[in-house]
Amino acid sequence: RDKRLPFSADQLQLIFNAPIYRGCVDDWHGYAVPGTAHPRRGRFWIPLIALFSGLRLNEACQLDVADIHDIDGVDCFYVTAGATEIGNDKRLKTASSERFVPVHPTLTEIGFMEFVSRRRESGDRKLFAELQRSSTGYFSDPFSKWFRRFLERSGAARAKTCFHSFRHCYRDALREARIDHEVALALGGWSSGNGSDGGEVAAQYGRGYRAETLLTAIKMVSYPQLDLSHLRSAQ
């Protein structure tokens, strides 16, 4: 059983009011020092992606630029594993993890799709090209270590919370919005169960939900007590 907890509203505000979101020296060693720079790379975007589109840490860290694309007029993350022309550097937790997830409108408002466009123009394959893989083969390992330090320095560290707490926040937001259970599972890449009630078998039929259906659902994911107006105005 996962004993981790979602972040509280106060923790979320501390996280997204940290210097890396308000203005810092840089997003490397100076991420926790107030400054005039507003870098928008992995350390800026990945927590927001986890909170609003529900990607696991490694799912977000390993994204290719090509993994963000238009599906029937809807900008989506395509969460997948597999080999590419330069190696097999993408992994998924389970088979049900493979999915596409619409880009939440809040991410678009903050400037995520403009960031993606710039990355396409750069010619780099990885969306967050500055992130490195660990010896275990995961991009998430170094990021997870950094994020623990980030929580401490932002004052948001609490017992039983860590990066995965964003997923718990996301799941609670889906519940609060009364999103259909199967749609919620599709949006989060959660398994439908052990198959005793036929859920796993039923999930193998059909093509799944349309992008527009998933977008309608994900638009309802919200955090009313979280103020991100400074991120919209800083574009």
Side-chain angles (χ1 to χ4, degrees), residues 147-213:
F147 192 76
R148 285 196 293 271
R149 298 192 299 271
F150 169 80
L151 287 179
E152 292 285 349
R153 299 196 69 175
S154 65
R158 303 287 187 276
K160 297 184 179 180
T161 55
C162 60
F163 189 92
H164 197 67
S165 296
F166 287 122
R167 287 265 292 176
H168 287 265
C169 292
Y170 178 71
R171 188 67 183 93
D172 279 347
L174 290 168
R175 291 188 181 102
E176 288 292 327
R178 302 292 192 268
I179 301 301
D180 175 84
H181 181 62
E182 286 196 10
V183 174
L185 295 181
L187 285 170
W190 289 289
S191 169
S192 59
N194 59 18
S196 60
D197 62 354
E200 290 285 359
V201 175
Q204 297 174 22
Y205 283 78
R207 293 186 177 180
Y209 293 99
R210 294 184 301 112
E212 186 62 39
T213 300

Side-chain angles (χ1 to χ4, degrees), residues 133-152:
R133 278 194 294 172
S134 69
S135 59
T136 64
Y138 288 91
F139 288 94
S140 56
D141 289 345
F143 196 100
S144 181
K145 293 176 182 177
W146 169 79
F147 192 76
R148 285 196 293 271
R149 298 192 299 271
F150 169 80
L151 287 179
E152 292 285 349

Side-chain angles (χ1 to χ4, degrees), residues 10-221:
D10 288 343
Q11 283 177 286
L12 288 177
Q13 202 63 63
L14 286 168
I15 289 168
F16 294 112
N17 274 332
I20 198 169
Y21 292 102
R22 285 282 185 181
C24 58
V25 171
D26 57 53
D27 64 350
W28 196 238
H29 297 297
Y31 69 88
V33 181
T36 58
H38 295 273
R40 293 193 169 195
R41 299 193 297 175
R43 291 180 173 182
F44 177 94
W45 285 114
I46 289 172
L48 289 165
I49 290 169
L51 183 63
F52 284 100
S53 289
L55 273 64
R56 297 176 177 91
L57 177 53
N58 197 61
E59 290 173 347
C61 288
Q62 70 183 7
L63 286 168
D64 290 343
V65 175
D67 290 333
I68 293 83
H69 54 93
D70 181 294
I71 300 177
D72 298 330
V74 178
D75 292 320
C76 293
F77 297 98
Y78 181 36
V79 181
T80 185
T84 67
E85 66 276 9
I86 62 171
N88 186 0
D89 64 358
K90 294 167 68 178
R91 303 179 181 186
L92 294 181
K93 184 177 180 181
T94 65
S96 61
S97 300
E98 184 162 339
R99 64 200 187 280
F100 63 89
V101 184
V103 175
H104 193 284
T106 296
L107 298 178
T108 302
E109 292 168 9
I110 292 171
F112 179 69
M113 293 310 299
E114 284 82 357
F115 168 75
V116 173
S117 295
R118 290 193 296 273
R119 298 301 299 136
R120 286 198 181 103
E121 292 169 2
S122 74
D124 284 329
R125 182 175 68 90
K126 305 304 290 186
L127 187 62
F128 305 114
E130 77 280 7
L131 301 185
Q132 300 296 314
R133 278 194 294 172
S134 69
S135 59
T136 64
Y138 288 91
F139 288 94
S140 56
D141 289 345
F143 196 100
S144 181
K145 293 176 182 177
W146 169 79
F147 192 76
R148 285 196 293 271
R149 298 192 299 271
F150 169 80
L151 287 179
E152 292 285 349
R153 299 196 69 175
S154 65
R158 303 287 187 276
K160 297 184 179 180
T161 55
C162 60
F163 189 92
H164 197 67
S165 296
F166 287 122
R167 287 265 292 176
H168 287 265
C169 292
Y170 178 71
R171 188 67 183 93
D172 279 347
L174 290 168
R175 291 188 181 102
E176 288 292 327
R178 302 292 192 268
I179 301 301
D180 175 84
H181 181 62
E182 286 196 10
V183 174
L185 295 181
L187 285 170
W190 289 289
S191 169
S192 59
N194 59 18
S196 60
D197 62 354
E200 290 285 359
V201 175
Q204 297 174 22
Y205 283 78
R207 293 186 177 180
Y209 293 99
R210 294 184 301 112
E212 186 62 39
T213 300
L214 296 180
L215 178 62
T216 298
I218 209 167
K219 281 180 177 179
M220 298 174 70
V221 169

